Amino acid sequence: MNCRPRIRASLLASCLVLTVSSACGGGEAPHSAAVGGSPAAVVVAISDADRAAAKQTFETVCFTCHGVSGKGDGPGSAGLDPKPRDLSDKTWQASIGDEHLRNVITMGGAAVGKSPAMPPQPQLKGNPKQLEALIQHVRGLAR
Ligand code: HEC
């Protein structure tokens, strides 16, 4: 029942994930990631294929500016001001929530008060597995 307020489309996925996560189990309130009032509790089952696809997205799209390891040193970074964020910066990683990552990735920098040079990926809004896998990839860049 705690799964119910979540995004309807992800209900099935939420329940599937019960086998790998206790987020909806035991009658406990799920850990709420509902920062900013949107239905942020995206609980999706991410497969190895999703992870591989997200890695590929990062290394073909995001890498242009952020670099493969996320340091902000991609080939397209030279002319940018401000520079692409160093995604490997642990302190920065700790300072932002996943909801912020979802927003900046799907809506672009301008939508969150950052540089409009950070382009939106609106197609990921309809693909929660890819979006969450990409966020995990970004999280994995922290050193
Ligand atoms: C055309 C260059 C470019 C591409 C491609 C790009 N980014 Fe960015 N990104 C930027 C710039 C520039 C900033 C810094 C914005 C600022 O500090 O105002 C940024 C910032 C960010 C931030 C930090 C936002 C914050 O609050 O500090 C994240 C996270 C991010 N990008 C993720 C991604 C991901 C994931 C992709 C691929 C889907 C991607 N970016 C593709 C240029 C790019």
Side-chain angles (χ1 to χ4, degrees), residues 16-99:
L16 284 176
V17 89
L18 275 174
T19 52
V20 291
S21 151
S22 61
C24 298
E28 294 293 319
H31 172 70
S32 175
V35 183
S38 63
V42 180
V43 179
V44 289
I46 297 169
S47 68
D48 286 349
D50 295 323
R51 279 188 200 96
K55 183 172 189 281
Q56 199 188 8
T57 299
F58 193 89
E59 292 178 358
T60 55
V61 180
C62 319
F63 109 96
T64 320
C65 298
H66 293 278
V68 170
S69 57
K71 293 202 172 303
D73 56 357
S77 67
L80 294 177
D81 182 17
K83 292 290 173 205
R85 150 73 48 198
D86 176 0
L87 302 174
S88 71
D89 179 346
K90 260 183 146 173
T91 309
W92 169 78
Q93 285 262 2
S95 74
I96 47 114
D98 285 357
E99 185 62 7

Side-chain angles (χ1 to χ4, degrees), residues 98-122:
D98 285 357
E99 185 62 7
H100 179 75
L101 290 177
R102 272 177 216 120
N103 288 340
V104 70
I105 291 171
T106 58
M107 301 193 290
V112 298
K114 298 279 172 179
S115 168
M118 165 61 203
Q121 306 292 329

